Structures are given as structure tokens and as C-alpha cells.
Amino acid sequence: MSLGSIILTCLGALLLLFVLYILFARYYFNGGFYRRYCDHITTTLHGKTAIITGGNAGIGKETAIDFARRGARVIIGCRNPKKATEAIKVIQRRSGSSNVVYIPLELSDQDSVREFAETILKQESRIDYLINNAGIGKSTKGHRTKEGYNMVFAVNHFGHFLLTMLLMDRLKESAPSRIVNVSSINHTLVKEGDLYFTPKDAEGRIYPGLREYDRSKLANVLFTKELARQLEGSGVTTYSLHPGAIRTSIIDTIKETTQMSLPMYWFIIVFFWLMGSDERAGAQTTIYCALEESITHLSGCYFDNCRVAKGNKLADDDGLAKKLWDVSCQATGL
């Protein structure tokens, strides 16, 4: 065999390995090759009300479009009025429904969360679906809320915990109702001992073990588990989920809040282009958990690709879930 043939054979083998790697990575990050769609769910939502945090962009907006198309009154909560107004126009146009409204919500600000909940309770006689979808991937190093909490953990967990609890009585009154918490496969990266509840460290940082994305996503799953336990028999069910590796604007928030180099940013863009699903696909498990009738007995479970999935073993730690609940009540003044 000539040298040229050997080189071509090696290059072919490397190309094959690369293709297999891409296929495996897509399988891992997106819960399997087959991205299930909820078009088979024929549920109509006339007379129902859905609240979607972060409903102005990404999978939140796709969820809002689906719910509005089914006839629900859709309320999106987000912090940017301009983006919200633009999103509502898109949601109304694509869904054919005008029953879509925006209420300001800044999840990192507990006063804003309380104002949002107060407005909801004054204006809405029922809440059928609470979709805790909003989230951020990264914050400026050391960036904390006015209460002193890590920004990512505050937005991704504390804010949604507070909102859920403030709306709980109305959710119970509207039963059967559902709470859906959008988590991430990243919660499986948290190891034993990473999530801890020390009130302050030597530098005065509050709850230094409650920070950043992976831990906040584990918190979403733990919150769902404990919430399901406490809601048993109430008619309110709750689910957490991994939406898949989705090409959304959360990538831009990571770039804006870190010292990420341009080459690294484009590497991540290419990675998500190769591995990721589009936003409509990413919304399917959220929609499934909110509307699928056959899963009411699975309250508290973690889903991926519209089916129950195995999550982090730490999520099965009832003691950890209870401790997180207690600390969350302390952190939000409940």
C-alpha cells in the first residue's frame, strides 16, 4: 500500500470517528435521535391560564405559542418591556390568538417577584399552568443580588421558588393544575458535597455553596421532588425536565457576562449548531409535562425527550431536598 493510500485511509477513519462522535454527542445531549413532538396531544386550553417566565424568547416563546394556539390565556413574565412587546406580536401572529399579555418580572429581585405575583392574583381568577422556564447561564464574576445571593442561583432557583409559593393557593384553587420547572442535564454534573448550605464563608458571601448554573439546575429538580411530596392529594402536580441542547440566546448571555474570547464564543456557537436542536424542539418536553394526561401519577419526576429519565442520584436525597426547601424559605422570607 502506498503512502498516499495510507494517508487517505487514516483520514477516512478519522472522518468516520468524527461523524460517530457527532452522532453520539447529539444522542447524549438531546435525549436520543428522535426528538418527540407533542402534535399528538389534542388538548385544547380555552378558559385556561398559563404563566410562562421567560416567555419572550427561546423555548419559553415556543411554549407560549403552543399554549396560545390551543386557546389558553398566556401571561409572559420577563424583565425587558421592549423584547416582551416584540415577542407578544410574534406569539399572536404565529398562534392566531390575541389573548397574550406581558407583566414585568425580574427574577433576581424578590420585590419584583412579589409585585408580579400580586398583579397576577389581582387580575387572574385562575392559574392552570405555571411554567418556570426563565434562566441565565452565567453572571459577571462576583455579581450578586441586592439580598447578597449568587445571581445565577437567585434567578434560576430562588426567584422561581418564591413565585411558585406566592401563587400556590391560586394553583390549588384551580386544580387540576401543573407546575413545570425547566432544569438541565447539567444538574447531573453536580457531585456529592458540591451543594451545601453554609450561611456565610470567611469572605462574608451568603450561601457560597448555592451558586452557578449546574447547582441551580439540581435545585430545580430537588425543588420539584419536595414540592410533589408536599402537594400530594392537592390536585396540583409538578415536573422537572431537560429540554435538550438548544440553540437559544442563553449563549449570548454567557458571552456578555464573562471574559470569553471570540474564538471560544464561535467554538460554542459551532458546537450548538452541530449538537443542538431548534427552539421548537426544545419546547416539546415542557409542553408534554404540562399537557400529557397519562403522567399525573408521575408528579415529582424528571423528564427528558418526553419521557421519565434518570437524573443525578443526589436528586433522590430527600434530606437534601428538605434542606434546600428550608434554606429557600429563609432566603425568600417565607
Side-chain angles (χ1 to χ4, degrees):
M1 182 179 290
S2 66
L3 179 60
S5 297
I6 293 174
I7 292 174
L8 287 175
T9 300
C10 291
L11 289 174
L14 288 172
L15 179 61
L16 177 61
L17 288 172
F18 177 74
V19 170
L20 290 174
Y21 172 76
I22 293 296
L23 292 176
F24 173 79
R26 285 188 63 85
Y27 185 92
Y28 177 77
F29 283 108
N30 287 300
F33 292 116
Y34 175 53
R35 167 60 60 183
R36 299 163 189 249
Y37 283 83
C38 296
D39 296 339
H40 69 285
I41 299 177
T42 57
T43 305
T44 57
L45 302 178
H46 299 287
K48 305 287 188 180
T49 299
I51 299 170
I52 305 173
T53 68
N56 63 301
I59 61 176
K61 184 165 73 174
E62 290 295 330
T63 304
I65 291 168
D66 185 278
F67 277 44
R69 185 179 289 135
R70 295 173 188 271
R73 172 171 170 76
V74 176
I75 302 168
I76 61 174
C78 61
R79 61 183 179 176
N80 189 314
K82 181 179 179 182
K83 290 183 178 180
T85 301
E86 293 172 352
I88 285 176
K89 292 178 181 178
V90 174
I91 295 167
Q92 291 178 337
R93 174 174 54 80
R94 288 181 55 189
S95 68
S97 170
S98 60
N99 200 7
V100 184
V101 298
Y102 153 69
I103 299 176
L105 173 64
E106 172 53 79
L107 284 162
S108 68
D109 183 345
Q110 293 186 14
D111 289 336
S112 174
V113 175
R114 292 180 186 279
E115 289 172 6
F116 178 86
E118 184 178 357
T119 301
I120 292 290
L121 294 175
K122 285 181 179 178
Q123 295 182 358
E124 307 300 326
S125 60
R126 63 181 304 113
I127 303 171
D128 300 276
Y129 306 97
L130 173 59
I131 313 297
N132 291 321
N133 163 83
I136 58 174
K138 201 77 174 175
S139 66
T140 303
K141 188 176 182 180
H143 193 195
R144 309 185 78 78
T145 69
K146 64 183 181 182
E147 292 86 9
Y149 308 129
N150 173 269
M151 182 61 70
V152 173
F153 202 90
V155 170
N156 294 357
H157 173 65
F158 284 147
H160 282 127
F161 178 91
L162 177 59
L163 178 61
T164 301
M165 300 311 293
L166 292 174
L167 299 179
M168 185 55 68
D169 287 345
R170 190 60 46 86
L171 283 158
K172 289 179 179 178
E173 292 168 3
S174 307
S177 53
R178 299 195 191 188
I179 302 164
V180 179
N181 297 315
V182 178
S183 181
S184 166
I185 197 172
N186 281 51
H187 88 278
T188 62
L189 301 178
V190 182
K191 299 178 181 178
E192 189 170 359
D194 286 349
L195 193 72
Y196 55 94
F197 307 96
T198 305
K200 287 187 179 181
D201 63 9
E203 298 179 16
R205 291 175 296 188
I206 304 175
Y207 299 126
L210 304 183
R211 58 181 173 82
E212 302 308 339
Y213 188 76
D214 298 348
R215 300 182 204 196
S216 73
K217 295 292 104 178
L218 175 59
N220 295 155
V221 181
L222 287 166
F223 172 43
T224 303
K225 293 259 186 181
E226 179 63 17
L227 189 60
R229 187 187 69 79
Q230 296 201 20
L231 289 173
E232 187 173 359
S234 69
V236 184
T237 52
T238 180
Y239 312 89
S240 63
L241 65 101
H242 168 55
I246 311 301
R247 301 185 293 271
T248 70
S249 57
I250 199 169
I251 302 170
D252 293 321
T253 68
I254 295 174
K255 180 177 183 291
E256 292 168 2
T257 54
T258 62
Q259 300 300 316
M260 184 187 298
S261 64
L262 192 60
M264 178 57 70
Y265 172 72
W266 282 108
F267 171 80
I268 292 175
I269 291 294
V270 171
F271 174 84
F272 273 88
W273 180 78
L274 289 172
M275 312 298 184
S277 300
D278 62 28
E279 293 168 346
R280 179 171 179 264
Q284 297 307 303
T285 304
T286 299
I287 297 166
Y288 180 87
C289 287
L291 303 183
E292 175 58 45
E293 292 295 335
S294 66
I295 64 169
T296 54
H297 67 293
L298 297 174
S299 183
C301 288
Y302 167 74
F303 285 74
D304 182 1
N305 201 17
C306 300
R307 58 193 173 196
V308 175
K310 184 178 180 180
N312 193 323
K313 65 179 182 180
L314 294 176
D316 296 323
D317 186 334
D318 293 339
L320 189 65
K322 183 64 169 62
K323 183 61 177 176
L324 175 66
W325 183 281
D326 292 342
V327 168
S328 299
C329 286
Q330 296 167 14
T332 56
L334 294 175

